[in-house]
Amino acid sequence: MEGTITVDPELDSSGDYSGIELLSTEGEFEESIDTLFYALTDTSGHYRAEVDVQENSLYPVVLSRNGNRIGIINLVFARGDTIRFDAELPAVNETAVIQSRENDAYAQYERVQRSFNRVVNYVNSRGMSSDSLEAEILKWSDLYWDLYNKNPETLAGERSAATSVSILQDWDNETMLSRTDSLLARYDRLPGGLRSQLTQFYADRDSLERSLVFLDDLSERSTDLNIKLPIYRHKIELLFDSARTDQAQQLLQEFRETYSNSNTAMEWADRMRFDIEHLAPGNPIPEFELTDTEGQTVSSESLEGTPYMIEFTRLDSPLYLQQYDRVVAIHQIYRNFGLNIITVPVHTSETIFRAFFEERNMFWNVVEPESFSSEEFIETYNLQQLPTRFLVDNKGSISKRYTGTEFDRVVQGLQQILTQDPTDL
């Protein structure tokens, strides 16, 4: 990768553009951060350096000068590709000129994505007849597939193909599976999001066993343990969610032996072992006793005999803000079947709490912020992602746990725990 980075002459008329740093890293934690790319400009602003990348993907490149971060731009780093990137500070994105086979293809993919998103927003706001919507879905799936066929050996091509496949579910499952076979024939792997979607598709359409066979097939296509790792994890989580704790435990032990040299894998395995031992479906919900905003005690004991959903979240979470109206809808519908909802605002100050409910009513039990130890609940319920929700049946047993965007499947879980005779609720 090479190029020239200059500075707006109105800000710096010296003509000396040396000392501008370009840095790209990967990894979430300090001990696991790897430098993919680092370069320093000379007087003319020119830089050149090799990119050390193991996985073709979109990576952020940070531009700094004199220790101050000035701009950031996302670039595709891919093995075998050559990138020319020029820009003028401080308006990095506005002045960027990028020449690269991979990045040119990705720019095409982003244009199609923007156009498709506009259609989705239109449909969500104004609606569309079922026939028209089906035709629109099939059209866009073909557009993505055409982009893949024109750029098959690029990151953009792979992502276009995955999008083409994913949006076909329930509209044209035959073509969805046919195109999946084409992807596997070319790449011998699937992107994580598509893998998860198809695993759930097979579980819903056929059975848990069929989804496990699907994951086994993906795993057997590669000898690379790094590629196998997320599939391994997915199988364990699938068994756990299906209350097959003995099988999940056995597979987890094999996972620990296989990835014993990876600290990150072992950290995940420790969290998973805790879940299997304490939070598996069918286990009693860990005891709690909380005080709601009206001063009433809400506890696992007082809720025995009643199905409920307890959710742990930050009230300043953008995802929770997006989901809140759906929680309200769920409450309005399922309270008639005896469902209770308890919201536990983790790491939420009084100020944030008041701001959240300034324009919102409290329809269910909301726990008084700062009346409990957030850290204690994070440990007890192994909260790795917020929001996290537990569905609990009328016997006080965990039915399902949902994290983050998995909220989309809550209604299906509710239908399972609310099948009892209403007189039993």
Side-chain angles (χ1 to χ4, degrees):
M1 177 171 162
E2 68 174 318
T4 301
I5 307 297
T6 59
V7 181
D8 185 337
E10 293 187 5
L11 300 177
D12 183 353
S13 59
S14 67
D16 181 357
Y17 306 125
S18 62
I20 299 172
E21 295 179 300
L22 295 89
L23 173 68
S24 184
T25 61
E26 66 174 347
E28 298 181 14
F29 306 103
E30 186 174 342
E31 62 272 15
S32 65
I33 290 178
D34 293 324
T35 297
L36 301 175
F37 172 82
Y38 177 78
L40 197 64
T41 59
D42 60 20
T43 303
S44 68
H46 182 263
Y47 68 91
R48 179 184 177 86
E50 295 295 320
V51 179
D52 180 18
V53 63
Q54 297 299 316
E55 179 182 2
N56 297 355
S57 189
L58 195 67
Y59 295 96
V61 178
V62 177
L63 289 81
S64 306
R65 195 182 197 194
N66 300 323
N68 298 313
R69 177 183 293 189
I70 299 175
I72 186 169
I73 190 166
N74 293 319
L75 296 175
V76 175
F77 289 162
R79 293 179 296 276
D81 191 33
T82 300
I83 303 174
R84 170 85 193 194
F85 165 55
D86 303 311
E88 181 183 84
L89 302 181
V92 175
N93 287 276
E94 291 79 357
T95 60
V97 178
I98 305 166
Q99 300 174 30
S100 153
R101 178 177 63 91
E102 285 278 353
N103 284 278
D104 289 347
Y106 203 84
Q108 297 176 50
Y109 169 69
E110 289 185 314
R111 285 195 291 272
V112 175
Q113 278 281 77
R114 286 193 293 270
S115 297
F116 178 65
N117 288 338
R118 283 196 291 269
V119 172
V120 171
N121 291 335
Y122 176 86
V123 172
N124 288 337
S125 63
R126 301 192 180 185
M128 186 178 288
S129 70
S130 179
D131 289 345
S132 297
L133 182 56
E134 179 178 3
E136 201 69 23
I137 291 292
L138 299 181
K139 180 188 77 174
W140 282 99
S141 179
D142 288 344
L143 287 172
Y144 279 111
W145 194 252
D146 182 58
L147 183 58
Y148 153 69
N149 282 324
K150 292 177 180 177
N151 304 276
E153 301 302 329
T154 65
L155 176 68
E158 189 172 349
R159 291 195 176 181
S160 295
T163 305
S164 171
V165 171
S166 68
I167 64 177
L168 284 175
Q169 184 173 339
D170 297 332
W171 296 101
D172 188 345
N173 290 339
E174 183 178 349
T175 301
M176 176 185 74
L177 297 179
S178 173
R179 288 181 176 177
T180 297
D181 290 340
S182 296
L183 290 186
L184 289 173
R186 180 179 292 276
Y187 301 117
D188 274 333
R189 68 183 186 279
L190 294 175
L194 182 58
R195 182 191 68 238
S196 297
Q197 179 181 343
L198 289 170
T199 301
Q200 191 62 53
F201 169 80
Y202 283 121
D204 293 340
R205 191 193 69 171
D206 302 321
S207 64
L208 172 65
E209 283 69 24
R210 177 64 182 89
S211 61
L212 291 171
V213 168
F214 171 67
L215 291 175
D216 284 337
D217 175 62
L218 292 181
S219 181
E220 290 168 3
R221 289 174 177 271
S222 176
T223 58
D224 188 334
L225 288 179
N226 289 324
I227 293 177
K228 288 176 174 287
L229 188 148
I231 302 173
Y232 223 139
R233 287 175 46 169
H234 198 159
K235 283 186 63 179
I236 295 169
E237 291 168 347
L238 192 60
L239 290 168
F240 168 79
D241 288 337
S242 303
R244 297 193 181 186
T245 52
D246 289 344
Q247 291 175 266
Q249 189 75 271
Q250 180 181 352
L251 198 60
L252 181 62
Q253 182 57 39
E254 295 175 10
F255 178 90
R256 296 180 70 90
E257 294 170 1
T258 303
Y259 296 98
S260 58
N261 293 327
S262 169
N263 291 333
T264 302
M266 288 300 95
E267 289 173 3
W268 177 86
D270 287 340
R271 295 194 299 269
M272 194 70 232
R273 181 173 61 185
F274 183 93
D275 283 351
I276 292 173
E277 293 176 354
H278 302 284
L279 300 171
N283 282 14
I285 189 79
E287 294 182 359
F288 61 85
E289 184 172 323
L290 297 159
T291 302
D292 69 14
T293 53
E294 296 184 355
Q296 301 296 312
T297 297
V298 182
S299 67
S300 50
E301 183 178 357
S302 67
L303 289 166
E304 285 185 5
T306 302
Y308 61 92
M309 177 174 75
I310 182 169
E311 57 178 11
F312 300 89
T313 187
R314 293 181 63 106
L315 294 186
D316 56 355
S317 161
L319 180 58
Y320 188 70
L321 290 171
Q322 294 172 18
Q323 297 175 344
Y324 183 75
D325 287 343
R326 296 187 62 185
V327 182
V328 173
I330 283 174
H331 173 262
Q332 291 174 338
I333 295 170
Y334 291 100
R335 65 180 177 178
N336 298 318
F337 296 90
L339 179 74
N340 282 295
I341 297 177
I342 304 96
T343 298
V344 183
V346 177
H347 289 314
T348 299
S349 67
E350 287 284 355
T351 301
I352 292 174
F353 185 86
R354 286 196 300 271
F356 184 86
F357 285 106
E358 192 172 73
E359 298 180 355
R360 298 176 178 90
N361 293 320
M362 294 185 192
F363 296 104
W364 54 82
N365 295 109
V366 180
V367 175
E368 182 69 31
E370 301 181 355
S371 68
F372 62 94
S373 169
S374 292
E375 296 302 328
E376 181 180 333
F377 275 91
I378 288 171
E379 180 178 350
T380 301
Y381 291 89
N382 200 15
L383 304 177
Q384 301 298 321
Q385 184 178 357
L386 297 176
T388 289
R389 297 175 173 90
F390 290 89
L391 292 187
V392 183
D393 65 22
N394 63 351
K395 297 178 182 178
S397 298
I398 297 171
S399 175
K400 288 286 186 180
R401 179 182 63 180
Y402 302 91
T403 59
T405 56
E406 289 180 348
F407 182 51
D408 292 340
R409 300 185 62 81
V410 165
V411 171
Q412 180 179 339
L414 285 170
Q415 292 169 349
Q416 294 174 359
I417 69 170
L418 296 174
T419 54
Q420 301 101 323
D421 189 313
T423 60
D424 294 332
L425 299 182

